[in-house]
Amino acid sequence: MSGSPNPYFTMNSPYATIVDAREFNAALFAEKIDRALRAGEKDVVIKVLTGISNNQRQALREPYKLKYGKELVDALDKKFSGDAEKVIFALMDTPLDYDVKQLKQAIKGLGTDEAVLIEILCSRTVDQLRAIRAAYEKQYGKQLEKDVAGDTSGEFKDLLVSLVTGSKDGSHDTNDVQAKDDAVRLFADGKAKLSKKEGSNFLQILATQNQYQLRKVFAYFQELAGTDIEKLVEKEFSGDLRNSYLTIVRAASDKQKFFAQQLHASMKGLGTRDNDLIRVLVSRSEVDLELIKTEFQTLYNKNLEDVVKGDTSGAYRDALLSIIHGNHQ
């Protein structure tokens, strides 16, 4: 397996809002959380959990269980509810476990949450997808690609299954000749009104090539067509397939911009798509949330903290704002 042993490990990214806390003692922090839980001080619990990294949160589990004879997550479950509890649980999961649970939740029961499938499967790295696939099978005794295939259809299904089974190139290699050739094929697809035929070059190109190569393909396409690839995707595809291709295009072109758009979409209009809001903030908090905040401001001329503040309330709002603000000031 290429890459680091843990494809989710970012080692205190300079663009994270949450990094390892310097003064961390697992046993003392476990005590601090227990005291706050017994006193009903949710704000203190939130402060402690968002003030340390995910690795440090995992390190709380053992001393807590040894001292108090119960699982930390169970103790948190008793004191938090609703969306605030969802944030706390998301913070307590490892990033890999969280992605796996999100995918399972998106597939099970009546109706599929395609937005979750698309966001995770189309924006994670090759190594992360490999880890997700293995962890999903270990956790649920089922193959992720079979569950995904059973819940989707057509080219949308083919695309997701292709991503899950690891057809994407994990290298940083690029090839100009190939990129030009692929740009021509995509352009021809557009000319031929590709939505009317079975399958498309989009599937073969977007599902298999690394983001560096895709950026070259998109640049040549722009030269050739005089318009960007997003516009062609929006014109030629519809529904979930369009959203998937747009996600791959956006995540390859500019991941932070993509996640800023995801955050905006989760809060615009009536009602908040809380699961999407929580997922993006928690999963990017140790990767690039600082950059996403800047991108959000640029795109929407609004401060992310202000928008979240206006859209949420109570302990839920406190937890989200604490993640956005971060612990590395």
Side-chain angles (χ1 to χ4, degrees):
M1 180 165 170
S2 61
S4 67
N6 176 358
Y8 281 85
F9 187 59
T10 50
M11 192 66 196
N12 292 332
S13 157
Y15 310 115
T17 56
I18 295 177
V19 295
D20 288 332
R22 284 196 206 105
E23 309 292 318
F24 177 72
N25 176 308
L28 286 178
F29 275 55
E31 270 180 47
K32 205 188 279 188
I33 284 183
D34 191 69
R35 268 201 312 275
L37 284 172
R38 275 181 296 145
E41 295 168 340
K42 291 182 188 176
D43 54 331
V44 175
V45 176
I46 288 166
K47 215 172 195 161
V48 172
L49 292 179
T50 54
I52 57 179
S53 67
N54 191 276
N55 279 340
Q56 290 171 330
R57 285 178 218 128
Q58 304 313 318
L60 294 174
R61 292 171 181 268
E62 203 177 325
Y64 191 91
K65 186 159 190 195
L66 278 172
K67 181 146 191 188
Y68 304 107
K70 58 188 167 189
E71 298 292 346
L72 174 54
V73 171
D74 293 341
L76 291 164
D77 185 19
K78 284 196 170 69
K79 294 291 178 187
F80 286 89
S81 60
D83 290 322
E85 181 180 58
K86 281 187 202 159
V87 183
I88 298 296
F89 279 7
L91 289 167
M92 286 305 301
D93 274 329
T94 66
L96 172 59
D97 283 343
Y98 184 59
D99 273 355
V100 168
K101 284 179 186 173
Q102 286 280 301
L103 287 169
K104 183 65 175 170
Q105 214 176 303
I107 293 167
K108 73 173 192 204
L110 279 170
T112 310
D113 190 338
E114 287 85 4
V116 175
L117 291 184
I118 291 166
E119 184 192 300
I120 294 177
L121 298 179
C122 299
S123 74
R124 300 301 186 254
T125 67
V126 174
D127 284 347
Q128 286 171 344
L129 286 170
R130 205 172 289 154
I132 285 170
R133 189 183 181 202
Y136 188 96
E137 190 161 349
K138 192 176 173 191
Q139 176 88 12
Y140 302 112
K142 291 176 173 181
Q143 289 185 322
L144 177 57
E145 60 269 31
K146 284 194 176 158
D147 280 359
V148 166
D151 258 37
T152 52
S153 60
E155 193 171 332
F156 178 53
K157 174 184 81 175
D158 297 341
L159 172 66
L160 295 188
V161 168
S162 181
L163 291 169
V164 171
T165 50
S167 64
K168 210 165 187 54
D169 168 25
S171 77
H172 290 204
D173 302 342
T174 59
N175 177 323
D176 277 332
V177 176
Q178 166 96 47
K180 282 180 184 169
D181 187 44
D182 285 342
V184 170
R185 286 161 64 204
L186 294 178
F187 184 63
D189 266 357
K191 288 272 179 230
K193 294 284 169 262
L194 54 85
S195 46
K196 295 183 177 59
K197 41 178 215 180
E198 275 303 303
S200 69
N201 285 312
F202 273 82
L203 177 64
Q204 197 271 319
I205 295 166
L206 268 62
T208 59
Q209 298 185 7
N210 70 55
Q211 62 178 355
Y212 307 97
Q213 179 69 10
L214 285 177
R215 280 177 204 164
K216 290 205 157 187
V217 174
F218 301 157
Y220 284 125
F221 180 87
Q222 174 101 32
E223 274 178 34
L224 194 62
T227 179
D228 68 37
I229 193 89
E230 276 197 36
K231 289 200 173 68
L232 178 69
V233 171
E234 282 172 339
K235 194 167 115 241
E236 295 296 346
F237 295 99
S238 61
D240 297 322
L241 186 60
R242 179 184 63 194
N243 294 339
S244 321
Y245 285 144
L246 281 177
T247 298
I248 294 176
V249 168
R250 287 168 180 167
S253 307
D254 186 337
K255 207 165 253 196
Q256 287 76 38
K257 183 179 176 185
F258 164 69
F259 282 114
Q261 289 168 325
Q262 291 291 93
L263 287 171
H264 184 255
S266 75
M267 293 182 283
K268 75 174 187 201
L270 278 173
T272 307
R273 297 206 320 253
D274 296 290
N275 193 45
D276 295 347
L277 178 59
I278 294 165
R279 185 177 58 256
V280 175
L281 291 178
V282 172
S283 63
R284 306 314 291 184
S285 61
E286 293 186 40
V287 185
D288 54 3
L289 189 51
E290 285 295 350
L291 295 175
I292 293 167
K293 281 157 65 172
T294 306
E295 193 64 53
F296 190 92
Q297 178 81 46
T298 306
L299 280 174
Y300 305 109
N301 209 12
K302 289 175 186 166
N303 180 298
L304 179 60
E305 285 189 46
D306 293 342
V307 178
V308 169
K309 211 179 281 182
D311 246 51
T312 55
S313 61
Y316 174 45
R317 178 177 61 196
D318 296 344
L320 295 181
L321 291 176
S322 204
I323 293 165
I324 293 168
H325 192 248
N327 72 341
H328 68 120
Q329 315 305 331

